[in-house]
Amino acid sequence: MVLFQQILYPLVLSTLLFITKVQAAVLYAPPVEISGYKFFDAETGESVAWKGIDYYPRPNDGPYNVNNYDFYTEEYRHIWERDISYFKQLGVNGIRIYAVDPSKNHDLFMCALQQAGIYAIVGISANCKDCAITNDAPPSCYPDLLKTRGQFLINEFARYENVLGFSAGNEVELVTPTNLSLNAPCLKKFVRDMRSFIDSCPSMRKIPVGLVVADINQAEHAAYYNCLTDPNDPYENAEWYGINAYRHCDGKVTDISQAIGLRELGKFFQNSSIPVILTEFGCLNDGSFPEMDGYESQRTFLQAKWLFEPEFHDIFSGGFVFEYSVERINTEITSNYPFTSFGTGNYGIGYFSPASCDDVNTTCVYNPKPEYCNLQAAYGASNARGLVTKTSFQPDEVRTGRPDCPADLPKLAEFNWTTDQTDNLIVCTSLVSFTCPFVNIPQPPKSCPSTSDIPPTKAPFVSSPTESPVEMSAWPTELPTLVVNTAPSTVPLPSESPSISPSTGPTLTSKPSFTQEPSTRPSSVPTVLPVAESTVTPSLRPSTTNPSTEEGPSVNEADVTRSPVIKTRSGPTITSAPDSDPTSTTSLSYRLQWSFFSTCIILMLNFCG
């Protein structure tokens, strides 16, 4: 007994204390699935909606101050590790990344997100040759290599349980401004092929495939991407629908009953039978949003809270604010560093300092602006989880089945798709399980003080890159080498068909040849489209699909519509960490704690007995 009191008892207590601390820090993001027009936690059955942020950590200067770069690999851990700590403080449960290089390993990044209880929408397309739906007429607008690239990327990311969905395209209609539905059949066909590929892989998790459109032609696009032009083809419809909607631009409107823009938008989707997500939101407006701590026109993000109110939570499955960090090259057109003045491209809720930081020789420090804290407060006051369970969910009768297809849009069978005549180059990996390595993420700041009081989260200096950033290509000349953002660029394919393990990627049965096509456009500065009522100065937002950034027309009211940006593990339920959604995650730590505790009790009883 003396041995127990002096040695075993303190050991048990200290170990349990350690596990409790781990429990508070390590959250989990179990797989999600779709039933009807809602997302559900595949383990607990609780409904899940998205408190999200769009993420592209472009430094202010240097070789990585480019469009379309993949910052989500181990090489850039000093960048995303800094930012995930702020995601945790912000209280987000999802991020959107526009494009990645499927030839690279993203284990640490995705696992770090998972440990923080954060999911990701992963873009399949990119801004590079044959990496996205084009502005050609169908069927030419769907390149053969895009299908191969999509399968390759899905095969790579399917092992991460916190992928909430794949996005087949971002505002592709904006590359055909004279006919906003010209390339819609190509995007619909691409969604169909990716869904079919996932279903053909027996060991692959059925991650939902959706798409993102601009806030135009709302009714027609919502119907076309959810309908079946061939009633015998179950893969034709998108499984979720994203819309980049810059509405509620009048900061003086503080009552949900006057949120005219959101209400008007909701009318287009009130009968949708698939989940609808605001994949970009957060309108700018000079004059109606308040000045705070020396920063002009700080968005209040009331709509981030309203999305989870009864008026809207049955229509929208949450949303993703645009965007996490200021992209200096786009913002300085109208607002100079440190971006305290209003600017039509000043979308970041924080910015990097110093002005010349490049995350190579000079570490970028993230500085939240006052609107960062506004968003934190809005998300913190919202419940995104457990409003209904999958077993109790009864979809409205009018929100079941598929809508009729618009009469003026063609059936997929009307085209001779060359992608159907090309053998699949990707072989499904026989991946049964994947265990996330533990990734130690720094603790986020404990509160949300004024920007001048927030301690910088420092990242280690890294040596200069051995070579200039590689633009994303459709594929690799050495397995895809991509670059990310609002729209990615190029990926090379290996000179030899690579043999890829589950952790590195799929096996290619042959190698397509691709040429790089660098992206020349800035990554962001949104286009704003008009919305009904009172006029407001238009906001600019990154346009992304392929080339060109567009500036939007005039806007209106308490709202605004704008244009595009081209820019795993299961576990038991856990109580929330201080800065996370109280009901949004599950944790392995409880199982560890109880397993260890019960083992200790048995050992003590045996010892004492």
Side-chain angles (χ1 to χ4, degrees):
M1 181 60 81
V2 173
L3 176 62
F4 168 72
Q5 291 177 334
Q6 295 181 351
I7 300 176
L8 290 182
Y9 184 66
L11 178 63
V12 169
L13 287 183
S14 61
T15 306
L16 286 177
L17 179 61
F18 170 76
I19 292 177
T20 302
K21 288 181 178 178
V22 171
Q23 166 190 316
V26 180
L27 307 174
Y28 257 100
V32 293
E33 57 191 9
I34 290 174
S35 179
Y37 44 87
K38 290 187 179 294
F39 287 91
F40 292 92
D41 183 316
E43 294 186 355
T44 67
E46 295 176 306
S47 61
V48 183
W50 305 110
K51 301 178 183 182
I53 192 84
D54 296 313
Y55 181 49
Y56 185 64
R58 180 178 189 160
N60 293 332
D61 206 347
Y64 301 127
N65 179 22
V66 293
N67 243 359
N68 311 320
Y69 200 77
D70 188 343
F71 289 107
Y72 317 115
T73 62
E74 185 173 3
E75 181 181 358
Y76 306 105
R77 178 173 178 169
H78 63 291
I79 294 175
W80 51 256
E81 190 175 71
R82 167 200 65 206
D83 298 333
I84 291 175
S85 70
Y86 278 97
F87 295 161
K88 291 172 66 175
Q89 184 200 44
L90 195 55
V92 302
N93 64 358
I95 65 169
R96 180 184 175 200
I97 51 179
Y98 291 84
V100 292
D101 179 349
S103 69
K104 303 288 183 65
N105 186 292
H106 299 84
D107 289 356
L108 289 183
F109 173 70
M110 292 301 296
C111 289
L113 288 176
Q114 189 179 24
Q115 287 166 198
I118 297 172
Y119 295 81
I121 291 179
V122 180
I124 306 176
S125 300
N127 252 6
C128 51
K129 182 176 174 55
D130 296 324
C131 295
I133 300 300
T134 72
N135 59 1
D136 298 312
S140 301
C141 49
Y142 179 14
D144 292 356
L145 293 184
L146 175 58
K147 177 181 178 181
T148 303
R149 183 186 188 277
Q151 292 174 340
F152 183 29
L153 187 149
I154 286 172
N155 207 48
E156 279 296 289
F157 276 80
R159 63 177 174 271
Y160 307 127
E161 289 187 352
N162 55 331
V163 174
L164 77 89
F166 291 115
S167 174
N170 183 65
E171 300 180 328
V172 304
E173 63 276 14
L174 294 179
V175 300
T176 58
T178 58
N179 181 350
L180 293 173
S181 298
L182 176 69
N183 55 9
C186 289
L187 181 57
K188 187 175 180 67
K189 172 64 171 169
F190 184 37
V191 169
R192 185 247 168 253
D193 288 349
M194 296 304 98
R195 290 193 59 197
S196 176
F197 171 71
I198 291 173
D199 203 46
S200 71
C201 299
S203 63
M204 185 178 290
R205 181 167 71 88
K206 308 309 178 191
I207 299 174
V209 179
L211 49 87
V212 175
V213 298
D215 193 0
I216 51 178
N217 288 17
Q218 297 91 341
E220 183 176 63
H221 287 163
Y224 188 62
Y225 291 124
N226 191 18
C227 77
L228 302 180
T229 64
D230 177 357
N232 297 315
D233 187 347
Y235 301 118
E236 272 198 14
N237 66 287
E239 294 174 278
W240 58 269
Y241 187 89
I243 183 165
N244 296 340
Y246 288 75
R247 296 184 176 234
H248 189 68
C249 293
D250 188 348
K252 294 182 176 65
V253 173
T254 57
D255 190 317
I256 191 172
S257 65
Q258 298 175 32
I260 300 173
L262 281 180
R263 291 179 180 278
E264 289 300 313
L265 185 65
K267 290 177 182 178
F268 294 112
F269 304 108
Q270 59 189 358
N271 293 332
S272 176
S273 59
I274 59 175
V276 177
I277 306 170
L278 299 188
T279 37
E280 288 177 13
F281 75 96
C283 194
L284 301 178
N285 182 11
D286 187 16
S288 76
F289 289 116
E291 178 177 330
M292 301 176 69
D293 293 342
Y295 289 83
E296 295 178 355
S297 303
Q298 293 298 282
R299 292 170 289 180
T300 53
F301 288 117
L302 292 178
Q303 72 272 45
K305 179 182 177 183
W306 292 343
L307 286 176
F308 304 98
E309 297 290 336
E311 289 91 331
F312 296 114
H313 76 70
D314 259 351
I315 299 175
F316 302 113
S317 292
F320 293 74
V321 164
F322 189 82
E323 64 180 323
Y324 172 70
S325 55
V326 169
E327 296 181 58
R328 181 180 177 184
I329 192 171
N330 301 313
T331 304
E332 282 198 327
I333 299 170
T334 53
S335 176
N336 291 326
Y337 179 92
F339 318 114
T340 55
S341 61
F342 173 78
T344 52
N346 199 354
Y347 278 88
I349 60 171
Y351 67 94
F352 295 127
S353 65
S356 60
C357 75
D358 57 7
D359 268 325
V360 177
N361 299 309
T362 304
T363 301
C364 290
V365 174
Y366 185 69
N367 303 273
K369 297 192 293 189
E371 62 184 13
Y372 170 101
C373 296
N374 294 342
L375 181 59
Q376 183 200 53
Y379 277 161
S382 308
N383 181 15
R385 197 177 181 90
L387 296 175
V388 69
T389 63
K390 186 178 178 182
T391 53
S392 64
F393 175 56
Q394 294 293 327
D396 296 341
E397 189 173 343
V398 294
R399 301 184 68 177
T400 57
R402 301 279 158 248
D404 294 333
C405 292
D408 58 337
L409 288 176
K411 297 180 179 180
L412 297 189
E414 294 179 20
F415 304 101
N416 181 22
W417 300 99
T418 58
T419 51
D420 289 342
Q421 300 158 23
T422 304
D423 292 335
N424 286 343
L425 297 180
I426 302 299
V427 177
C428 302
T429 54
S430 56
L431 182 63
V432 177
S433 64
F434 167 74
T435 302
C436 263
F438 178 77
V439 184
N440 183 31
I441 296 296
Q443 287 297 311
K446 298 296 182 184
S447 59
C448 201
S450 65
T451 53
S452 59
D453 296 329
I454 291 185
T457 302
K458 294 199 174 180
F461 286 99
V462 291
S463 58
S464 300
T466 53
E467 52 188 58
S468 300
V470 183
E471 291 283 334
M472 285 199 232
S473 69
W475 262 77
T477 29
E478 313 224 293
L479 247 88
T481 290
L482 269 181
V483 205
V484 153
N485 183 231
T486 347
S489 210
T490 316
V491 187
L493 231 205
S495 34
E496 298 180 36
S497 203
S499 169
I500 306 178
S501 66
S503 66
T504 51
T507 305
L508 305 176
T509 55
S510 68
K511 159 186 91 166
S513 41
F514 301 85
T515 55
Q516 279 186 288
E517 181 178 275
S519 169
T520 54
R521 52 172 305 286
S523 78
S524 35
V525 182
T527 310
V528 188
L529 305 172
V531 170
E533 289 149 56
S534 65
T535 59
V536 186
T537 306
S539 331
L540 287 183
R541 202 206 54 70
S543 164
T544 32
T545 321
N546 258 10
S548 97
T549 302
E550 303 165 8
E551 202 171 299
S554 59
V555 228
N556 302 293
E557 210 255 284
D559 311 7
V560 154
T561 323
R562 48 107 279 134
S563 169
V565 175
I566 294 192
K567 341 211 242 155
T568 54
R569 238 39 306 130
S570 50
T573 335
I574 181 183
T575 55
S576 64
D579 293 317
S580 61
D581 179 358
T583 52
S584 71
T585 53
T586 30
S587 170
L588 188 61
S589 59
Y590 269 147
R591 288 180 185 166
L592 290 172
Q593 180 174 334
W594 284 110
S595 174
F596 180 81
F597 182 74
S598 58
T599 302
C600 289
I601 294 296
I602 293 170
L603 288 174
M604 287 188 288
L605 289 174
N606 288 339
F607 178 77
C608 297

